[in-house]
């Protein structure tokens, strides 16, 4: 068991280091940040001086080592654009993204669970079809478009909800819906199929024959078992929310990590891109790790495969 | 009471004294009160005057720092921190002789002296700290004569010094030496009407009116100012409409008509300091663009007026070489008329009866409103005339890198590019033309974004740079403008974007053009 | 729980016929197939079908609403945008781009991914470890972040979009193929086949391919929608398809500034995306329900 966990954590670590190299190299290939930081008519001597000061004239592998050396200690350097520590900028905005991801996840689960249960219980009926259809529709509409439509209807025309920004619960509603919309279909399917499995099982049938009311069977006993696959996948879904947050944050001007990274990519602000993407990778890997570990706990066969 | 002589003297003295006290208190300024929240569409990346690189950065710097000279609301240049100044000749070399005002204080109470300007000039010239050191290259030495009198000695004439408000920002030497560069950037201190309070990156800047500000008549009358940063158009407009902010700077062009009709709202539409144009790859060997007839054909092929009207919602002012009111403005130069037949004819004359294909590079990042759509429209007009555009969209970083001369590798700007280089307000083309009209000279800083190669124009541009006498310099610039127009070099000028500022009736506001490209809150307050 | 194939190779004819019957008996999603067919037609014949040149500007005709609106006209069925371009023609042009991107991506990522999975599973050992770690590293970077950075490096264009999305999706195919190969290696009949003199290639073709083909096909169909949404997101952010190519995502990005002026600009391209994804998802589900013998009929 311990070996399994250690192995998994080790692999996660390798992934993160690998991710840092990939992002480091690729972001440095995006172009010259110096020209963007100086006035248009700055002469070449000034540009070279700045390049030297920022250490961008060293060979790539040396730049990476310097970066890694500092990164381990938590120093990602100063943002080229804002001249403040990159990690600070990114960490300040992390809570907003996590809040958004959690809200999105909450929204999707609160739709998927009832839909899945109802679809399973009333299998084959119009409720089932409706549930599947609704979920399917969700999977067909890109999150950012749903967001744009909601802004059009609820902000521009009806004026009920604020179009952008953050601060109150009202600001969270539309971004959460736009983010959580997509995985509803997959989650509904999982809940439904898990429920169907359980509802057919012996002990539920026994409960039925003993006279327990149907609704109690469904909500209390069946659901508890059906929830297991959903719960174990929560980590994966949270990670997916983090990924999807990038675009939703841009649409809603949500002051989170994703939007900061997108802006930094455009501004060739390497330190912020590195810090932001690495941080997200760490969260990603951790979430997936937790899922794997929980599977390992639940299903001993998995520990020994691979 | 018997009126003794003593009583008369004392009562007269008392009367005179109280009269004088009343007089002096009428001279002293009423302290600023109240709170005001406004919104900018873009924000500065730095608060340190030597570290700014784009016009946007002056939005914040301009509230706290001042220069020797500045344009007033009618764009006429007036002395500001300088009481008087002139250019003199000394041993055949140029010298700017400056006398600064007395009684000017920094936000921390230190008095402004010549030493502070000496410090400022040295800092600006230091390539390790400043991004503008190349503009100080012609300064030989800074001579302090006394606390309020100094002279700047030049190795050679430098017209840009005159054009750019004498360059120098008033920065506090003692304070800087105490807190260091980082401390200064975190907590800047200047002589401006606003004192720095706090800043939250990407969110807001908080300022407080400086009570000891030197100018007693032209100053803000509201005490606490919060500048929110709201780049999204819809949000900014919504914030204004709901009253969350009472002043916004860039009303989106599509909504300006609506804003002008809003009750209780005032607007001001001003010309921003940016100048947009279309440039051609005359430097590529055997390119059709080397032929002046082809460039002229392109000039006649684009209907700039229609584009400004339909794509920019009329938020652009057409300019020909130099904008109206700028140094070197020549009212006799008329824009190339839109004439499709003439364009096709010129192409035929140049040997392209069936037109030709060319790469057209468009900026997609909205550095100016609708710049992407404007570019698309221009390229569509060119295509209609036979100059078939293969349009390529570039975001800002890629666009800057493509346009720049002297890089080591591909890609090469080999066709048409939508470009911009601000001449400022009121407008001076000296530095911009040195950058996109003078031929490219590696290592010297000339023509860093230029594709032209005209020795006659080069000579005139260099002469203009050396000339410090304003009327002589203006004549040279006018001559350059004429030749530039005839030869269609350094780009086809299109328009200067207009920017609309909106504020509620309860706000008392007068727009000042600089520093900050109209985002200057020199005179703002709440009506009583 | 796999359906075992006979040693002689290939599917028994009876089973093959059964597949077709199952497909037909399942309830063909006619609507979705029609939509997909329309898309493919648009992709192939787009330029001739569209009433206007999708990039033709007409500054005198900006912001015309769709035909059913008061100010609309049938000359521009779905209205015009801020530069007077016809929306209907642009949607058709966008269909062409979306379908082409999706096809390229699926074929390439399927091909590259399957190949890598094959190598990894077949050779095992260090090769497998390295390739799988590569996949892990890639999956640990949020796909959009990686795509963004790569798009900037490679300069956004049609080719870049394809490359970027292929890099994002290859891991799915690799994993499936790899696990199939691994489980195949354990099977007795494969060892027997080798003893009998069958080359590796024959084994792969006869035993691996049939097992894996169905799963890959289902995955591919389901991914069409995902790829289209991904491409739309990239284009929306400005790093995907560039002008003069037309992309639905790009149309949505352009429409953002005019939400208050012209609702049709922000809704219609999204509807196109939605219908395409819906169609591909329904078809994918249909294929999965019939072709994948592991699925219980529910």
């Amino acid at each position: 068991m311990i070996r399994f966990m250690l192995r998994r954590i080790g692999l996660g670590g390798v992934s993160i280091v690998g991710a840092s190299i990939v992002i480091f190299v690729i972001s440095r290939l995006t172009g010259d940040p110096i020209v963007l930081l100086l006035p248009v008519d700055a002469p070449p001597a000034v540009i070279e001086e700045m390049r030297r000061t920022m250490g961008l004239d060293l060979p790539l592998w040396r730049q990476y080592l310097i970066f890694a050396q500092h990164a381990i200690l938590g120093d990602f350097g100063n943002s080229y654009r804002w001249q403040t520590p990159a990690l600070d900028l990114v960490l300040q905005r992390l809570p907003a993204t996590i809040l958004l991801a959690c809200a999105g996840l909450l929204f999707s689960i609160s739709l998927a669970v009832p839909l899945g249960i109802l679809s399973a219980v009333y299998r084959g009926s119009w409720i089932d079809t409706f549930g599947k259809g609704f979920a399917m529709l969700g999977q067909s509409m890109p999150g950012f478009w749903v967001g744009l439509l909601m802004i059009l209807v609820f902000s521009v025309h009806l004026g009920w909800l604020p179009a952008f920004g953050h601060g109150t619960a009202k600001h969270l509603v539309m971004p959460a819906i736009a983010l959580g919309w997509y995985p509803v279909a997959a989650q509904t399917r999982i809940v439904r199929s898990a429920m169907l499995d359980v509802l057919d099982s012996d002990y539920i049938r026994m409960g039925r024959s003993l006279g327990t009311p149907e609704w109690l069977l469904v909500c209390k006993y069946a659901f508890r078992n059906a929830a297991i696959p959903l719960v174990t996948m929560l980590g994966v879904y949270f990670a997916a929310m983090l990924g999807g947050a990038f675009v939703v944050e841009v649409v809603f001007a949500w002051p989170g990590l994703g939007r900061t990274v997108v802006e930094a990519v455009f501004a060739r602000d390497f330190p912020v891109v590195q810090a932001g993407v690495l941080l997200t990778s760490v969260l990603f890997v951790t979430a997936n790790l937790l899922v794997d570990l929980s599977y390992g706990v639940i299903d001993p066969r998995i520990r020994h495969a691979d | 009471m018997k009126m003794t002589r003593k009583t008369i003297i004392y009562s007269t003295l008392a009367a005179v004294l109280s009269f004088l006290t009343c007089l002096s208190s009428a001279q002293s300024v009423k302290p600023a009160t109240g709170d005001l929240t406004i919104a900018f569409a873009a924000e500065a990346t730095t608060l340190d005057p030597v570290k700014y690189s784009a016009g946007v950065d002056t939005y914040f710097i301009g509230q706290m720092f001042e220069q020797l000279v500045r344009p007033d609301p009618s764009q006429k240049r007036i002395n500001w921190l300088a009481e008087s100044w002139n250019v003199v000749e000394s041993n055949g070399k140029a010298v700017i002789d400056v006398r600064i005002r007395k009684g000017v204080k920094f936000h921390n109470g230190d008095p402004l002296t010549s030493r502070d300007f000496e410090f400022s000039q040295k800092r600006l010239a230091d390539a390790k700290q400043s991004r503008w050191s190349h503009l100080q290259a012609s300064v030989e030495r800074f001579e302090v004569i006394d606390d309020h009198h100094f002279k700047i000695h030049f190795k050679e004439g430098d017209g840009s010094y005159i054009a750019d408000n004498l360059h120098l920002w008033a920065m506090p030497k003692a304070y800087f030496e105490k807190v260091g560069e980082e401390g200064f950037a975190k907590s800047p201190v200047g002589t401006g009407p606003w004192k720095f309070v706090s800043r939250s990156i990407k969110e807001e800047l908080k300022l407080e009116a400086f009570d000891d500000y030197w100018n007693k008549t032209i100053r803000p009358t509201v005490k606490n100012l919060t500048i929110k940063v709201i780049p999204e158009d819809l949000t900014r407009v919504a914030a204004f409409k709901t009253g969350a902010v009472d002043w916004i700077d860039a009303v989106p062009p599509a909504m300006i008509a609506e804003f002008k009709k809003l009750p209780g709202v005032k607007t001001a539409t001003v010309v921003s300091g940016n100048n947009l144009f279309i440039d051609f790859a005359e430097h590529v060997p055997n390119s059709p663009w080397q032929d002046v007839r082809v460039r002229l054909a392109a000039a006649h092929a684009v209907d700039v007026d229609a584009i400004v009207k339909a794509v920019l919602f009329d938020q652009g002012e057409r300019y020909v070489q130099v904008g109206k009111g700028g140094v070197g403005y020549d009212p006799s130069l008329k824009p190339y008329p839109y004439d499709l037949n003439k364009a096709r004819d010129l192409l035929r004359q140049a040997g392209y009866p069936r037109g030709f294909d060319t790469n057209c590079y468009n900026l997609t990042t909205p550095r100016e409103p609708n710049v992407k759509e404007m570019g698309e429209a221009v390229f569509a007009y060119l295509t209609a005339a036979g100059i078939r555009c293969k349009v390529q969209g570039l975001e800002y970083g890629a666009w800057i890198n493509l346009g720049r001369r002297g890089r080591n590798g591909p890609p090469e700007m080999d066709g048409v590019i939508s470009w911009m280089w601000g001449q400022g307000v009121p407008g001076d083309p000296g530095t911009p033309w040195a950058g996109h009209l003078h031929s490219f000279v590696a290592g010297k800083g000339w023509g860093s974004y230029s594709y032209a190669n005209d020795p006659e124009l080069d000579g005139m541009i260099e002469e203009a740079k050396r000339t410090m006498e304003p009327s002589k310099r203006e004549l040279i610039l006018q001559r350059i403008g004429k030749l530039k127009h005839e030869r269609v070099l350094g780009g086809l000028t299109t328009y200067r974007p207009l920017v609309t500022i909106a504020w509620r009736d309860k706000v008392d506001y007068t727009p000042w053009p600089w520093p900050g490209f109209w985002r200057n809150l020199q005179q703002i307050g709440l009506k009583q | 729980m796999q359906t075992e194939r006979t040693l002689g190779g290939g599917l028994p004819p009876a089973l093959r016929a059964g597949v077709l019957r199952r497909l037909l008996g399942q309830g063909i999603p006619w609507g979705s197939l029609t939509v997909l067919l329309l898309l493919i037609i648009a992709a192939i014949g787009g330029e001739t079908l569209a009433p206007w040149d999708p990039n033709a500007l007409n500054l005198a005709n900006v912001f015309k609403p769709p035909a059913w609106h008061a100010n609309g006209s049938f000359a521009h069925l779905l209205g015009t945008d801020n530069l007077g371009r016809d929306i209907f023609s642009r949607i058709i042009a966008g269909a062409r781009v979306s379908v082409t991107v999706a096809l390229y991506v699926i074929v390439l990522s399927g091909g590259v991914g399957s190949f890598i999975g094959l190598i990894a599973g077949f050779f095992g050992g260090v090769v497998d470890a390295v390739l799988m770690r590569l996949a892990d590293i890639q999956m640990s970077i949020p796909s959009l972040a990686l795509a963004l950075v790569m798009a900037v490096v490679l300069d956004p264009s049609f080719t870049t979009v394809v490359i970027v999305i292929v890099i994002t999706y290859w891991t799915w195919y690799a994993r499936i193929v790899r696990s199939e190969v691994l489980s195949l290696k354990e099977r007795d009949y494969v060892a027997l086949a080798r003893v009998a003199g069958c080359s590796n290639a024959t084994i792969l073709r006869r035993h691996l391919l049939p097992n894996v083909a169905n799963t890959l096909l289902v995955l591919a169909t389901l991914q069409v929608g995902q790829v289209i949404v991904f491409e739309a997101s990239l284009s929306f952010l400005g790093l995907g398809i560039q002008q003069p190519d037309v992309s639905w995502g790009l149309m949505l990005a352009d429409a953002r500034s005019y939400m208050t002026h012209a609702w049709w600009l922000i809704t219609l391209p999204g509807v196109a995306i939605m219908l395409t994804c819906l169609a591909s998802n329904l078809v994918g589900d249909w294929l999965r329900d019939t072709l994948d013998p592991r699925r219980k009929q529910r």
Side-chain angles (χ1 to χ4, degrees):
Chain A
M1 181 62 193
I2 302 287
R3 183 159 354 142
F4 169 74
M5 271 175 33
L6 282 178
R7 187 157 186 273
R8 273 275 174 263
I9 295 178
L11 286 177
V14 168
S15 295
I16 293 181
V17 170
S20 77
I21 296 180
V22 168
I23 281 299
F24 184 89
V25 171
I26 295 186
S27 58
R28 255 136 243 273
L29 293 175
T30 56
D32 191 4
I34 310 273
V35 187
L36 298 183
L37 295 171
L38 289 171
V40 234
D41 55 344
V46 174
I47 297 179
E48 285 319 306
E49 174 66 41
M50 195 166 197
R51 203 185 299 276
R52 213 169 316 134
T53 323
M54 296 194 348
L56 288 172
D57 56 340
L58 297 167
L60 208 58
W61 61 270
R62 273 190 73 185
Q63 288 187 41
Y64 178 74
L65 284 177
I66 297 176
F67 161 72
Q69 197 173 319
H70 288 141
I72 297 191
L73 301 170
D75 175 15
F76 281 81
N78 274 1
S79 156
Y80 292 163
R81 228 175 143 226
W82 306 101
Q83 288 127 39
T84 56
L87 192 61
D88 288 351
L89 271 175
V90 153
L91 281 178
Q92 267 165 26
R93 285 167 176 74
L94 185 62
T97 302
I98 294 192
L99 175 65
L100 183 60
C102 290
L105 197 56
L106 197 67
F107 170 74
S108 67
I109 292 183
S110 57
L111 266 190
V113 165
L115 273 179
I117 294 181
L118 286 172
S119 288
V121 168
Y122 296 107
R123 179 211 323 191
S125 73
W126 66 270
I127 298 183
D128 189 9
T129 323
F130 170 77
K132 278 203 278 197
F134 184 76
M136 172 80 67
L137 199 67
Q139 202 173 33
S140 311
M141 296 164 77
F144 71 90
W145 183 55
V146 172
L148 289 171
L149 281 184
M150 284 196 289
I151 293 176
L152 183 66
V153 172
F154 295 113
S155 292
V156 174
H157 281 287
L158 291 173
W160 289 350
L161 294 167
F164 307 85
H166 68 298
T168 67
K170 262 201 202 173
H171 284 104
L172 192 54
V173 172
M174 290 198 295
I177 296 180
L179 187 57
W181 190 253
Y182 201 76
V184 170
Q187 288 170 350
T188 310
R189 250 193 285 266
I190 291 185
V191 172
R192 181 178 180 276
S193 106
M195 284 293 291
L196 283 175
D197 272 341
V198 169
L199 284 173
D200 270 345
S201 71
D202 288 336
Y203 90 101
I204 291 286
R205 275 201 235 129
M206 193 166 75
R208 222 175 261 141
S209 65
L210 287 176
T212 327
E214 189 70 18
W215 67 266
L216 192 64
L217 282 174
V218 168
C219 295
K220 199 157 169 224
Y221 300 108
F223 179 59
R224 235 187 254 153
N225 283 329
I228 294 175
L230 195 64
V231 166
T232 48
M233 291 288 276
L234 268 185
V236 172
Y237 286 126
F238 184 75
M241 294 282 102
L242 281 181
F246 277 65
V247 186
V248 171
E249 282 182 20
V250 170
V251 170
F252 286 95
W254 187 259
L257 190 48
R259 187 163 165 244
T260 308
V261 170
V262 172
E263 283 173 5
V265 168
F266 279 109
R268 311 294 196 278
D269 196 350
F270 299 155
V272 175
V273 174
Q274 280 150 206
V277 174
L278 217 49
L279 201 58
T280 324
S281 295
V282 167
L283 287 172
F284 239 54
V285 168
T286 314
N288 281 315
L289 198 64
L290 287 172
V291 169
D292 277 347
L293 289 178
S294 64
Y295 265 138
V297 163
I298 294 174
D299 189 350
R301 287 177 298 170
I302 308 231
R303 281 182 233 159
H304 303 294
D306 214 1
Chain B
M1 191 172 53
K2 227 168 48 150
M3 285 289 217
T4 61
R5 239 208 350 249
K6 252 201 220 162
T7 326
I8 296 175
I9 294 175
Y10 282 149
S11 44
T12 321
L13 266 174
V16 170
L17 270 171
S18 49
F19 177 61
L20 284 173
T21 325
C22 278
L23 217 60
S24 62
S25 64
Q27 293 274 37
S28 76
V29 182
K30 227 170 53 176
T33 55
D35 303 304
L36 180 62
T37 307
I38 70 175
F40 282 176
E43 91 179 291
T45 57
T46 179
L47 298 176
D48 184 342
V50 310
K51 293 219 187 289
Y52 88 88
S53 55
V56 162
D57 292 328
T58 58
Y59 288 10
F60 286 6
I61 292 172
Q63 320 298 346
M64 301 175 283
F65 292 92
E66 304 184 299
Q67 293 178 305
L68 291 161
V69 155
R70 81 189 282 188
D72 70 6
S74 64
Q75 299 186 34
K76 195 174 66 137
R77 185 176 292 132
I78 57 175
N79 290 340
W80 197 246
L81 286 182
E83 201 173 61
S84 70
W85 64 277
N86 54 355
V87 184
V88 294
E89 283 259 326
S90 161
N91 303 337
K93 291 205 270 203
V95 177
I96 301 185
D97 189 317
V98 183
R99 281 177 203 278
I100 60 177
R101 273 179 213 281
K102 301 185 176 53
V104 180
K105 286 210 176 58
F106 282 105
H107 298 151
N108 64 345
D110 289 348
L112 173 69
T113 66
S114 302
R115 292 277 171 210
D116 295 305
F117 277 109
E118 178 186 32
F119 161 72
S120 170
Q121 195 278 324
K122 289 216 163 32
R123 227 185 140 222
L124 276 167
D126 179 5
K128 288 196 175 39
Q129 289 186 66
S130 148
R131 308 216 169 145
W132 299 96
S133 55
H134 52 292
L135 294 179
Q136 304 294 325
S138 50
V139 172
E140 189 184 63
R141 66 189 167 94
F142 193 103
E143 183 193 352
V144 174
I145 304 197
D146 67 39
D147 271 352
H148 298 99
H149 185 195
F150 62 83
K151 293 190 183 165
I152 311 176
H153 294 260
F154 289 85
K155 288 184 247 185
E156 50 185 7
D158 187 350
S160 79
Y161 237 88
I162 312 289
D164 285 340
N165 306 312
L166 301 183
H167 281 321
L168 304 176
W169 299 88
M171 289 194 276
K173 175 175 178 168
Y175 175 75
F176 186 89
E177 282 168 356
K178 194 169 72 174
V179 301
E181 192 176 39
E182 255 193 66
F184 184 69
K186 278 208 179 61
S187 209
V189 159
T191 60
W194 293 103
K195 226 165 54 170
F196 175 79
V197 172
S198 73
R199 177 181 186 198
S200 177
I201 292 184
K202 297 200 209 214
E203 297 202 19
E204 64 179 23
L205 174 73
K206 275 189 152 61
L207 299 169
E208 190 186 273
F210 181 33
D211 285 332
D212 262 336
Y213 183 57
W214 66 271
N215 194 321
K216 302 295 178 210
T217 47
I218 305 174
R219 59 191 289 150
T221 52
V222 66
K223 184 164 166 67
N224 298 314
L225 181 68
T226 305
I227 304 179
K228 289 213 168 296
V229 177
I230 311 182
E232 289 76 24
D233 286 344
L234 279 183
T235 319
R236 200 168 60 253
V237 167
F240 183 79
K241 284 189 178 169
T242 55
V245 302
D246 290 318
W247 181 111
I248 57 173
D249 67 344
V251 178
M255 300 193 204
I256 290 181
E258 178 198 337
F259 257 73
K260 291 204 157 113
K261 296 203 205 92
L262 284 177
V265 170
K266 288 206 174 53
T267 62
T269 301
V270 289
V271 183
S272 79
N274 205 359
N275 298 63
L276 274 66
F277 54 92
I278 309 290
D279 215 344
F280 310 109
E282 304 129 27
H283 63 302
V284 174
N286 304 325
S287 159
W289 297 110
Q290 290 195 324
D291 189 333
V292 65
R293 286 170 297 194
V294 173
R295 300 196 296 272
L296 211 45
H300 287 293
V302 181
D303 190 352
V304 178
D305 290 324
I307 295 178
V308 167
K309 185 145 182 286
V311 178
L312 302 172
F313 298 87
D314 252 336
Q315 298 309 303
E317 185 187 89
R318 197 125 185 235
Y319 76 105
V320 191
Q321 310 316 333
V322 180
K324 197 149 68 154
V327 174
Y329 172 60
D330 187 345
S332 74
L333 286 179
K334 294 280 175 264
Y336 308 102
Y338 170 55
D339 190 337
L340 206 50
N341 291 324
K342 183 139 190 224
R344 294 208 178 105
D345 203 38
L346 281 163
L347 282 177
R348 225 187 325 264
Q349 284 176 33
Y352 299 99
R354 272 189 295 279
F356 62 93
D357 296 295
T358 187
N359 284 327
C360 293
Y361 302 98
N362 196 15
L363 172 65
T364 54
T365 312
R367 303 280 293 189
E368 293 289 345
N370 294 349
V371 71
K372 174 172 100 141
E373 286 81 356
M374 182 275 298
E376 288 174 22
V378 168
F379 296 151
Y381 274 106
L382 289 179
T383 307
I387 301 171
R388 288 179 293 276
C389 269
K390 180 170 179 296
V391 180
Q392 219 184 307
L394 301 166
E395 47 86 29
Y396 182 68
W399 174 81
I400 281 270
N401 275 310
L402 179 75
R404 192 171 180 82
R405 294 298 306 275
R407 290 168 300 115
N408 290 336
E412 183 78 55
M413 202 309 268
D414 55 355
V416 184
I417 190 165
S418 163
W419 204 257
M420 57 179 79
W421 199 313
Q423 294 176 2
V425 267
D428 187 299
T431 310
W433 283 348
H436 71 85
L437 179 58
H438 190 293
S439 64
F440 171 61
V441 179
K444 282 283 184 148
W446 292 109
S448 45
Y449 290 88
S450 163
Y451 315 109
N453 195 346
D454 187 318
E456 188 184 355
L457 282 179
D458 284 356
M460 287 165 65
I461 294 175
E462 286 162 29
E463 195 194 336
K465 180 154 200 323
R466 284 191 304 269
T467 310
M468 291 175 92
E469 211 277 288
S471 51
K472 253 178 74 183
R473 186 165 172 272
E474 172 143 27
L475 275 171
I476 302 176
L477 289 173
Q478 277 179 336
R479 272 172 37 223
I480 298 176
K482 228 191 195 79
L483 289 175
K484 179 179 187 292
H485 192 79
E486 274 167 35
R487 302 176 190 173
V488 198
L489 283 175
L492 162 70
T493 57
T494 48
Y495 69 99
R496 301 157 83 193
L498 297 177
V499 70
T500 300
I501 303 172
W503 63 97
R504 294 227 123 72
D505 273 346
K506 71 175 189 200
V507 175
D508 203 359
Y509 165 70
T510 310
W512 279 71
W514 180 261
F517 293 101
W518 298 103
R519 276 76 168 174
N520 187 284
L521 307 161
Q522 181 74 34
Q523 272 186 299
I524 196 168
L526 295 166
K527 290 204 177 116
Q528 301 307 329
Chain C
M1 274 211 309
Q2 286 170 208
T3 311
E4 295 285 3
R5 310 291 189 219
T6 58
L7 249 178
L11 274 175
L15 207 50
R16 269 201 224 117
V19 168
L20 208 56
R21 203 187 307 131
R22 287 214 310 277
L23 268 175
L24 291 173
Q26 188 57 21
I28 304 175
W30 289 112
S32 312
L33 286 176
T34 321
V35 170
L36 287 183
L37 195 66
L38 281 175
L39 271 175
I40 296 178
I41 294 180
I44 302 174
E47 270 159 19
T48 41
L49 284 178
W52 299 85
D53 175 2
N55 282 316
L57 296 186
N58 187 350
L59 295 183
N61 216 12
V62 298
F63 291 124
K64 275 252 169 324
W68 61 85
H69 214 260
N71 303 334
S73 79
F74 278 97
H76 294 284
L77 207 59
L78 296 178
T80 65
D81 66 7
N82 60 314
L83 290 177
R85 299 180 289 208
D86 181 44
I87 299 288
F88 182 52
S89 309
R90 285 176 75 72
I91 289 194
I92 294 181
R96 184 189 196 135
V97 168
S98 298
V99 168
T100 324
V101 168
L103 267 168
Y104 272 101
V105 166
I106 288 179
V107 165
L108 283 174
S109 63
V112 168
S114 304
F115 185 67
I116 293 184
L118 193 65
I119 307 258
F122 206 74
F123 291 107
V126 173
V127 173
D128 180 27
V130 165
L131 287 173
M132 283 303 106
R133 289 300 74 74
L134 216 61
D136 278 344
I137 289 176
Q138 187 188 306
M139 309 251 303
S140 70
I141 305 178
S143 48
L144 203 64
L146 188 60
L148 271 185
V149 182
M150 283 197 290
V152 175
V153 172
L154 298 170
D155 272 336
S157 73
F158 180 86
T159 323
T160 308
V161 169
V162 171
I163 294 178
V164 158
I165 307 184
V166 165
I167 293 185
T168 315
Y169 279 112
W170 69 268
T171 50
W172 293 87
Y173 299 91
R175 290 205 159 172
I176 291 178
V177 173
R178 175 179 173 271
S179 69
E180 277 296 333
V181 172
L182 283 180
S183 71
L184 256 190
K185 274 181 15 178
E186 320 272 307
R187 297 258 178 263
D188 293 336
Y189 66 82
V190 170
L192 281 173
R194 243 201 226 110
V195 163
C198 289
S199 72
N200 283 339
T202 324
I203 296 177
L204 286 174
R205 187 166 37 91
R206 286 223 182 118
H207 303 289
L208 173 69
L209 210 52
N211 281 335
V212 131
N214 287 341
T215 323
L216 288 181
L217 182 63
V218 170
L219 181 65
T221 329
L222 285 175
Q223 286 212 325
V224 168
Q226 284 184 357
V227 169
I228 291 185
V229 169
F230 198 86
E231 177 269 310
S233 308
L234 271 183
S235 304
F236 177 77
L237 290 175
L239 288 175
I241 305 290
Q242 302 287 317
Q243 29 155 180
D245 291 328
V246 180
S247 153
W248 292 332
L250 199 54
M251 289 172 74
L252 286 175
D254 287 341
R256 244 179 119 189
S257 326
Y258 305 110
M259 264 202 266
T260 46
H261 266 64
W263 59 267
W264 60 96
L265 295 179
I266 202 105
T267 41
L268 297 175
V271 170
I273 299 179
M274 182 179 79
L275 288 177
T276 312
C277 293
L278 201 58
S280 95
N281 282 335
L282 285 173
V283 169
D285 268 359
W286 171 60
L287 283 178
R288 172 176 52 203
D289 286 342
T290 52
L291 287 184
D292 193 339
R294 271 174 284 197
R295 295 275 303 174
K296 284 194 222 160
Q297 302 289 22
R298 281 168 176 254

